[in-house]
Amino acid sequence: MEAADNQPKIEIKDVSFDYVDKKSSFGALHNVSLSIREGEFICILGASGCGKTTLLSLLSGLNKPKSGEVLLDGKPIKGPGIDRAVVFQQYSLFPWLTVKGNVLFGIRQSGRRLRRKERNEIADSLIEKVGLASAKDRYPSQLSGGMQQRVAVARALALESDVLLLDEPFGAIDPKLRLELQELVSKLVSDFKKTVVFITHDIDEAILLADRIVVMEPGAIKSIHKVRLPHPRVREELSGTEEYERLHRQLITAFYDQVEDRIDAGVTL
Amino acid sequence: MKKFFKLERGMYVELGIATLLLIANIIMTLTFPYYSIHKRYYESNAYIVVLVGSYAIYLFYLFLAKKKSTNDIAVVLYGFFALWEVSYKLGWIHNDLLIPSPEGLFHVFIEKRPEIVKDVIGSVQLLFWGFLLAATLGTILGLLAGWIPRVREVLLPVSNVITLIPPLMFSAYMIMLLKTFRQAAIAVIFFAVFWPTFQGTVMRVGQIDRKVIEAARTMGVGTLGMLGKVIFPYCLPGIIGSISKSLRGAFMCLSGAEMLGINLGIGFFIEKYKSFADFRCVLAGIVTVGFITTVIDLLVNKIERFVIKWEK
């Protein structure tokens, strides 16, 4: 039990969720509990279909839990809101707006009273932070997948929310670019001091970014691992250190046990 | 400048043929005045303006757009004009009441200019109002029906039946039902534009990516904001697309409605001279309809290209 003055930023209490289909209901989450401190970077690691995206949709408010509750600053989450910014896997940009238009959309939605000039300045600085200054007048269809995700990150930052939720944001991007984007997110998040929930199926990505790694098995949390590595982390320096090797082994065991269990149980992945 | 004149050799040959045909045409027109069956002589000014004007447009497209087909079209067009002209000069056609000479046909635009201008303005005004009303209502209802399933399930089956009925069929009834010809004509255009716009918008709303909607929701966009800030801009190219298709049909419907009894507009012009058996004017009216339809089409295409630029 945590002290009252040390209230968690996000608290997931005994949450269950089902996807109700026409024929059957598929249990996606069973009695999941997790509390996240302010400013913490949480990675949720799991194979596809284990309910990690469902968990994020409960945090974003796009879905409501069937039982239990999700609290933000001690208050239950009622629906989507600008106090939590979300970055989706892909194709979530507004295709009719330019890069700058997308970021400006976020700034307008943030509800801050700003003059046009101020909005433009904020948009330009965010676009520069994600390294897209030269592409700010292009439309999403003219950008590569990696560039699109940079815009999505800038648009999420434009909301100026305390909480950032990322749903496998770099899952569809080739490894070399992914590394760049991971470093970008790691830097931006420590600059902006956000509470982050980051979903991934990539163990190295989780170790590089997270303060704590939550490994999921279908419908539940399997284990939680604290990452005791100093920030900022650089991938080349990490591999080989004792802590990294230990953590990596632990995660692989936790991650693949669960996959083997499911193969044994005849579940299609 | 060098780049400007750079054309393939074959294109110069065709350009030469088209130019020769044009010059031959002008010489024939000027040197052998033609007298109609009633010994009436038509000035050839209008015809020569058309020939020279179309030649200017042809050169413009040839050198700027550099399309090969432009040449082919020009050769066919001037060949046709030359044949038409020669048929008269050599006396192959005797009765110019049914088939007017080119000079006679284009002279209508000088002779009856105030009337044609008035009728064209009348038609375009009717088209504008009917179109504005239909496009606005069609878009708003289409967005609502696309976004709210219950509205869609009521309106879509209805629209599927109604779009199959040619809008012109309503017009005879509309002329009886509504007080003025003007209202009747606007109603006919409304029917021609409203349903295609409505259906096009509903379909387009259905195509929007769920991720885009979810992203907007997580950014705090509410239901009304969703329609105005997200769904409408996303649908705009689709709406313009269906409008450009229905606009052509609308103008045809309008001309048809005017011929059925509306005493205004270019369709009325054609109908009036048909009853005088003045087929020279009838043909000139038809040429005018073709010209206006083309201009409207070009304008809509320009708008479409501007709005659609974010799509691949």
Side-chain angles (χ1 to χ4, degrees):
Chain A
M1 225 19 224
E2 286 179 77
D5 60 337
N6 198 13
Q7 185 191 42
K9 184 74 185 168
I10 299 170
E11 194 160 21
I12 302 167
K13 277 184 175 169
D14 245 355
V15 159
S16 297
F17 186 82
D18 300 288
Y19 282 109
V20 183
D21 212 331
K22 280 162 207 144
K23 291 170 197 157
S24 60
S25 76
F26 167 68
L29 291 173
H30 297 292
N31 304 326
V32 171
S33 294
L34 178 70
S35 78
I36 298 166
R37 272 183 291 110
E38 174 132 35
E40 202 175 12
F41 197 124
I42 296 281
C43 271
I44 297 182
L45 184 67
S48 39
C50 69
K52 54 192 192 314
T53 294
T54 310
L55 189 62
L56 198 87
S57 77
L58 298 178
L59 291 174
S60 68
L62 288 171
N63 280 322
K64 289 194 179 98
K66 289 284 174 305
S67 67
E69 54 182 356
V70 185
L71 304 174
L72 177 72
D73 291 323
K75 287 179 218 95
I77 289 171
K78 292 208 176 80
I82 55 167
D83 44 9
R84 288 146 287 144
V86 185
V87 178
F88 292 92
Q89 188 165 10
Q90 56 187 137
Y91 306 127
S92 72
L93 294 178
F94 300 132
W96 63 91
L97 295 175
T98 59
V99 168
K100 190 166 176 183
N102 269 281
V103 177
L104 279 170
F105 193 102
I107 295 170
R108 281 201 201 91
Q109 286 304 120
S110 73
R112 283 171 285 165
R113 281 171 180 258
L114 296 167
R115 283 195 214 94
R116 174 192 283 265
K117 199 178 153 227
E118 292 170 313
R119 282 200 301 263
N120 275 320
E121 280 167 10
I122 296 172
D124 284 337
S125 82
L126 281 171
I127 291 166
E128 185 154 353
K129 282 206 175 76
V130 296
L132 282 179
S134 60
K136 68 179 177 185
D137 293 322
R138 288 208 230 155
Y139 289 95
S141 63
Q142 300 166 319
L143 301 176
S144 67
M147 288 162 105
Q148 287 185 21
Q149 286 311 86
R150 282 168 192 264
V151 182
V153 169
R155 189 179 65 174
L157 292 174
L159 281 177
E160 294 226 320
S161 56
D162 299 337
V163 178
L164 197 56
L165 309 170
L166 301 102
D167 185 3
E168 293 193 40
F170 313 134
I173 290 165
D174 69 83
K176 185 168 167 281
L177 263 176
R178 200 186 306 166
L179 199 64
E180 266 178 53
L181 287 166
Q182 285 159 357
E183 273 160 17
L184 177 75
V185 161
S186 162
K187 188 178 162 302
L188 289 175
V189 163
S190 58
D191 284 0
F192 287 91
K193 297 200 171 38
K194 302 213 181 257
T195 309
V196 185
V197 178
F198 188 108
I199 288 184
T200 181
H201 54 241
D202 180 339
I203 291 175
D204 286 327
E205 186 168 75
I207 297 177
L208 187 75
L209 296 171
D211 296 321
R212 277 194 298 160
I213 299 170
V214 176
V215 180
M216 284 190 74
E217 59 189 8
I221 290 173
K222 179 163 188 168
S223 54
I224 299 177
H225 308 258
K226 226 177 165 83
V227 184
R228 291 190 188 80
L229 291 161
H231 283 284
R233 299 172 191 154
V234 181
R235 175 165 279 186
E236 294 83 38
E237 291 169 17
L238 281 183
S239 53
T241 61
E242 205 177 308
E243 171 72 6
Y244 174 85
E245 294 298 338
R246 189 187 60 80
L247 205 58
H248 200 264
R249 246 190 332 271
Q250 269 184 13
L251 289 170
I252 283 194
T253 316
F255 194 59
Y256 286 100
D257 267 4
Q258 158 216 327
V259 175
E260 275 164 25
D261 288 349
R262 293 176 73 195
I263 292 168
D264 290 344
V267 177
T268 36
L269 292 174
Chain B
M1 246 6 223
K2 234 179 192 175
K3 214 175 157 193
F4 187 79
F5 287 110
K6 217 172 178 184
L7 290 175
E8 284 171 44
R9 183 164 291 174
M11 289 174 87
Y12 277 114
V13 174
E14 269 192 293
L15 174 65
I17 296 171
T19 312
L20 272 178
L21 282 168
L22 172 88
I23 292 169
N25 229 323
I26 293 175
I27 291 172
M28 267 195 289
T29 311
L30 290 177
T31 49
F32 306 102
Y34 166 75
Y35 293 94
S36 78
I37 209 164
H38 301 302
K39 300 280 172 246
R40 236 183 110 187
Y41 167 72
Y42 296 119
E43 281 176 52
S44 51
N45 298 356
Y47 179 47
I48 287 174
V49 167
V50 168
L51 283 176
V52 175
S54 61
Y55 190 72
I57 295 171
Y58 157 55
L59 288 184
F60 178 80
Y61 270 94
L62 184 68
F63 285 108
L64 282 178
K66 293 201 164 53
K67 265 195 172 167
K68 270 190 180 165
S69 56
T70 319
N71 260 327
D72 300 340
I73 293 168
V75 169
V76 171
L77 181 76
Y78 293 121
F80 171 75
F81 274 134
L83 190 71
W84 190 3
E85 188 67 45
V86 162
S87 316
Y88 275 91
K89 298 291 141 89
L90 298 182
W92 294 345
I93 300 172
H94 292 292
N95 184 355
D96 72 337
L97 287 179
L98 270 176
I99 306 170
S101 64
E103 293 100 319
L105 174 61
F106 289 107
H107 189 62
V108 174
F109 292 107
I110 291 177
E111 222 177 315
K112 303 253 188 303
R113 205 183 62 179
E115 212 175 319
I116 290 178
V117 167
K118 194 191 89 202
D119 282 326
V120 166
I121 290 175
S123 281
V124 171
Q125 269 180 348
L126 290 175
L127 191 69
F128 176 78
W129 288 115
F131 172 76
L132 193 72
L133 209 62
T136 314
L137 265 175
T139 304
I140 292 172
L141 279 177
L143 288 175
L144 285 172
W147 187 230
I148 306 165
R150 279 180 72 180
V151 180
R152 178 170 61 240
E153 276 152 30
V154 173
L155 287 179
L156 208 57
V158 176
S159 82
N160 281 338
V161 174
I162 291 181
T163 39
L164 294 176
I165 306 168
L168 205 50
M169 289 195 170
F170 293 112
S171 56
Y173 179 59
M174 285 298 156
I175 291 163
M176 295 292 119
L177 187 71
L178 294 167
K179 281 185 194 127
T180 63
F181 289 134
R182 192 173 269 276
Q183 286 172 4
I186 290 176
V188 171
I189 297 161
F190 183 85
F191 277 109
V193 177
F194 175 79
W195 293 108
T197 308
F198 172 78
Q199 286 200 321
T201 310
V202 171
M203 277 205 348
R204 180 83 182 180
V205 176
Q207 286 165 0
I208 191 166
D209 200 323
R210 274 190 60 84
K211 278 274 174 58
V212 170
I213 302 282
E214 285 185 353
R217 283 183 63 200
T218 62
M219 293 166 86
V221 178
T223 305
L224 267 182
M226 194 67 84
L227 281 175
K229 286 188 209 162
V230 177
I231 296 175
F232 177 67
Y234 176 82
C235 292
L236 199 55
I239 294 167
I240 303 272
S242 61
I243 280 173
S244 76
K245 275 179 222 115
S246 63
L247 202 52
R248 280 169 234 170
F251 196 75
M252 283 177 216
C253 285
L254 176 63
S255 309
E258 288 164 351
M259 291 174 83
L260 281 179
I262 291 162
N263 60 1
L264 179 81
I266 197 70
F268 170 67
F269 178 91
I270 294 171
E271 184 60 20
K272 183 172 67 186
Y273 286 100
K274 195 187 91 190
S275 49
F276 297 160
D278 190 341
F279 297 110
R280 202 165 55 92
C281 290
V282 171
L283 279 174
I286 293 171
V287 169
T288 312
V289 172
F291 180 74
I292 295 170
T293 319
T294 311
V295 170
I296 291 173
D297 224 40
L298 283 174
L299 276 176
V300 174
N301 268 335
K302 273 265 147 62
I303 297 171
E304 206 175 348
R305 226 172 286 163
F306 177 75
V307 173
I308 262 171
K309 73 179 177 221
W310 58 266
E311 290 203 317
K312 281 150 273 176

